[in-house]
């Protein structure tokens, strides 16, 4: 019973640390969302800029796993190329060492329980007395305090060496020296990290166990090697439901860490000697019994391990891409309506909404292409070509229904989180945009059905009428094109003067064409059925023009 209590207490302490890291990370993301987005936009084809971007983002959100999952999903959605992603992933692996430094420097030099309580007290005003926009600052402080509390509970819960559990004892029995011992501890670090999905929490656990003399310094170094491989599991799992490009990005993460691990194993004994020499420079004995110097040296090793690996592999990114493309070859897929790459694994609302907007941009481009079939359908005389165009419109409309439902569901799931006021407004704007896009697709289908019915009833238009309807369709296409240009503008809210002017042209033309239609009908130039179809086409086109204006107003959040 006592052993079970110890195990559960250790799990609880780790859980408290993980919850603190999650709260700390999400608060940072809320506060730095726009900054993260700007950093992501700087991830150009320049591999060094991509590397620095990955380092900066991970330094901000304090989680290489979150950054890597983010990158994988962005590659899947087309926001990043594979070349950009690989450089960014390399930087993320270095960025994750920032947390290790925080834990190693503060974790054994402060009275953590006292500092944690002080931090919780400091967070109270942000939760209860200040403006709600200040709440993320409170969450940031509480998250940091929980990391301290979790680490403190871990320090007092881990039993002393005489009460070592069966697992550690078995490790010592299997291999006490040599490469086998290094590999055993490396795999222990790998498995722990893969299980708890946090390299930082594993690093803290290693420090505490090392402080309690469960194993020596060299064993801890071996576990640090395993940490880097274990952290790849999160991205690999996330990539299982993505496209080939995203799978390649996840594979590049694995290649980086496996290569680094192999290099670290080859240089393991020299690394131990170098670290002992560094300790001696600061007046510490080579047996390394001082936990403060041990924790700092582990952080140094963790950082150098990732930095050296990055500096080597960043020169071989083109070769890595060729290898990955050879391993994961392109596959032919039937078109799927599922939006699996809209991943809710991304904690930051700013980037999640950016990803949703990227999908909406794709939907809007598809809507413009769909409406482009309408003028062709109106004048097409070949029955086979007519049927092909009609089927394309029906297929796009079916697709639009699924898109609307899935994007709405995605944004609704995001809205369940504690969004910032700005992100909440953006979410509502995106919902309005997707609703109007789906309505435009419905109207395209309606026009298609009217054209089919008109042809069956042989309600033929005169050349002049066809030209007039074609003129209206052209104005609507221009409005849709302007809408897509405005959707592409991520940082600056677009000027709506052109879309207002376009909508005015559509309204004026509608008024003029309906007037001409009434004159033809009264003059007996056309039958009533023909006039009705003509007026329907004009009215629907004007309605689509209104919807494009709604979309543009939503883009500017008006």
């Amino acid at each position: 019973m006592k052993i079970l209590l110890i195990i559960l207490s250790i799990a609880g302490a780790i859980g408290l640390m993980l919850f603190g890291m999650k709260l700390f990370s999400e608060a940072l993301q809320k506060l730095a969302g726009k900054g993260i987005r700007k950093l992501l936009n700087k991830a150009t084809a320049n591999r060094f800029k991509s590397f620095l971007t990955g380092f900066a983002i991970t330094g901000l959100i304090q989680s290489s796993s979150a950054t890597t999952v983010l990158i994988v999903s962005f590659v899947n959605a087309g926001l990043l190329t594979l070349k950009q992603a690989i450089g960014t992933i390399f930087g993320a692996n270095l960025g994750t060492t920032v947390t290790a430094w925080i834990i190693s420097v503060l974790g054994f030099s402060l009275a953590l329980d006292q500092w944690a309580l002080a931090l919780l007290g400091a967070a109270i005003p942000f939760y209860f007395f200040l403006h709600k926009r200040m709440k993320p600052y409170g969450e940031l402080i509480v998250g940091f305090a929980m990391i301290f509390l979790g680490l403190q509970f871990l320090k007092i819960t881990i039993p002393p060496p005489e009460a070592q559990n069966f697992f550690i004892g078995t490790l010592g029995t299997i291999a006490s020296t040599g490469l086998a011992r290094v590999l055993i501890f490396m795999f222990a670090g790998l498995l722990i990290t893969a299980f708890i999905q946090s390299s930082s929490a594993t690093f803290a656990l290693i420090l505490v166990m090392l402080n309690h003399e469960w194993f020596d310094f060299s064993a801890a170094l071996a576990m640090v090697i395993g940490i880097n491989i274990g952290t790849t599991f999160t991205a690999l799992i996330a990539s299982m439901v993505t496209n080939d490009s995203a799978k390649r990005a996840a594979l590049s993460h694995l290649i980086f860490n496996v290569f680094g691990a192999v290099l670290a194993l080859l240089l393991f004994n020299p690394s131990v000697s170098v670290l002992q020499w560094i300790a001696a420079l600061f007046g510490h004995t080579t047996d390394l019994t001082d936990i403060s110097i041990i924790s700092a040296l582990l952080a140094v090793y963790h950082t150098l391990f990732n930095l050296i690996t990055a500096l080597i592999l960043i020169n071989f990114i083109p070769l890595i891409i060729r290898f990955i493309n050879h391993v994961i070859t392109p596959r032919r897929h039937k078109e799927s309506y599922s939006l699996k790459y809209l991943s809710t694994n991304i904690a930051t609302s700013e980037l999640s909404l950016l990803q949703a907007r990227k999908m909406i941009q794709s939907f809007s481009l598809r809507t413009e292409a769909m409406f482009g079939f309408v003028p062709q359908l109106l004048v097409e005389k070949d029955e086979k070509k007519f049927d092909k165009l009609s089927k394309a419109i029906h297929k796009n409309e079916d697709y639009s229904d699924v898109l609307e439902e899935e994007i709405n569901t995605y944004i609704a799931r995001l809205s369940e989180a504690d969004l910032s006021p700005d992100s909440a407004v953006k979410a509502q704007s995106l919902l309005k945009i997707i609703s109007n896009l789906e309505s435009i697709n419905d109207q395209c289908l309606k026009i298609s059905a009217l054209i089919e019915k008109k042809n069956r009833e042989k309600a033929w238009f005169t050349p002049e009428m066809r030209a007039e309807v074609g003129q209206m369709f052209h104005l609507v296409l221009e409005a849709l094109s302007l809408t897509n240009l405005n959707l592409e503008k991520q940082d600056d809210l677009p000027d709506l003067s052109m879309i207002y002017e376009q909508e005015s042209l559509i309204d004026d033309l509608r008024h003029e064409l309906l007037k001409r239609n009434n004159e033809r009908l009264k003059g007996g130039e056309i039958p009533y059925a023909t006039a009705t179809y003509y007026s329907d086409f004009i009215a629907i086109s004007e309605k689509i023009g209104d919807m494009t204006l709604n979309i543009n107003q939503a883009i500017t959040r008006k």
Side-chain angles (χ1 to χ4, degrees), residues 480-492:
L480 287 168
S481 180
L482 284 171
T483 300
N484 284 324
L485 288 174
N486 287 338
L487 271 171
E488 288 175 3
K489 297 176 181 178
Q490 297 291 347
D491 295 320
D492 300 321

Side-chain angles (χ1 to χ4, degrees), residues 78 83 88 95 102 118 160 208 222 317 319 326 375 400 421 444 448 502 510:
K83 187 175 183 180
T88 312
I102 293 172
V208 174
I317 286 180
L319 184 63
H326 179 73
S400 75
C444 290
S448 172
Q502 191 71 16
R510 169 186 175 273

Side-chain angles (χ1 to χ4, degrees), residues 170-450:
T170 302
L171 292 182
T173 303
I174 293 175
S176 57
T177 59
L179 179 61
R181 181 175 188 271
V182 174
L183 291 175
I184 288 291
F185 278 98
M186 184 190 77
F187 279 106
L190 185 159
L191 292 174
I192 294 171
T193 307
F195 179 73
I196 66 178
Q197 298 281 291
S198 172
S199 59
S200 300
T202 307
F203 189 86
L205 182 62
I206 291 171
L207 285 180
V208 174
M209 289 192 294
L210 188 59
N211 186 44
H212 283 68
E213 300 179 3
W214 280 39
F215 40 73
D216 59 16
F217 180 67
S218 63
L221 290 182
M223 292 187 75
V224 169
I225 298 173
I227 284 177
N228 277 34
I229 303 177
T231 197
T232 64
F233 279 73
T234 309
L236 290 173
I237 293 170
S239 72
M240 291 175 65
V241 293
T242 59
N243 61 25
D244 289 339
S245 294
K247 285 183 172 65
R248 294 184 186 109
L251 180 57
S252 72
H253 188 217
L254 179 64
I255 289 172
F256 177 96
N257 288 289
V258 170
F259 175 84
V262 171
L263 184 64
L265 287 173
L266 292 174
L267 300 175
F268 188 79
N269 288 330
S271 298
V272 174
S273 300
V274 168
L275 291 171
Q276 289 175 334
W277 174 76
I278 292 173
L281 286 179
F282 291 92
H284 295 275
T285 58
T286 56
D287 59 353
L288 297 178
T289 55
D290 187 341
I291 188 60
S292 61
I293 188 62
I294 290 176
S295 60
L297 288 176
L298 280 178
V300 168
Y301 183 70
H302 195 204
T303 301
L304 290 177
F305 174 9
N306 286 282
L307 179 60
I308 293 171
T309 303
L311 291 176
I312 293 173
L313 290 184
I314 201 168
N315 298 295
F316 297 96
I317 286 180
L319 184 63
I320 293 171
I321 291 175
R322 285 200 295 272
F323 173 75
I324 291 172
N325 287 336
H326 179 73
V327 173
I328 303 178
T329 55
R331 294 173 294 171
R332 296 188 176 215
H333 300 283
K334 292 182 179 179
E335 185 171 27
S336 172
Y337 293 161
S338 180
L339 305 184
K340 293 177 180 176
Y341 49 85
L342 284 182
S343 170
T344 49
N345 287 324
I346 306 173
T348 168
S349 59
E350 181 76 24
L351 291 173
S352 298
L353 292 173
L354 176 62
Q355 194 175 13
R357 178 161 170 165
K358 180 70 176 180
M359 186 60 238
I360 290 173
Q361 288 175 22
S362 175
F363 183 19
S364 186
L365 288 169
R366 196 180 185 104
T367 299
E368 181 185 353
M370 180 179 178
F371 188 83
F373 296 146
V374 171
Q376 301 175 49
L377 195 68
L378 180 64
V379 299
E380 185 58 63
K381 301 301 180 185
D382 185 280
E383 188 174 336
K384 288 184 179 179
K385 291 181 179 179
F386 185 93
D387 288 343
K388 186 176 180 181
L389 286 169
S390 179
K391 287 179 181 177
I393 291 174
H394 279 77
K395 184 178 181 181
N396 273 275
E397 205 284 325
D398 289 341
Y399 186 58
S400 75
D401 288 341
V402 177
L403 276 170
E404 182 194 28
E405 181 181 351
E406 294 208 16
I407 297 177
N408 279 340
T409 301
Y410 177 73
I411 296 175
R413 289 174 65 184
L414 290 177
S415 299
E416 291 173 359
D418 188 13
L419 296 180
S420 67
D422 184 53
S423 293
V425 172
K426 288 180 182 179
Q428 290 301 315
S429 298
L430 293 180
L431 289 173
K432 183 176 181 181
I433 292 170
I434 195 69
S435 174
N436 279 275
L437 284 173
E438 201 279 328
S439 295
I440 292 173
N441 280 267
D442 287 342
Q443 296 303 316
C444 290
L445 185 63
K446 187 175 181 180
I447 293 177
S448 172
L450 284 172

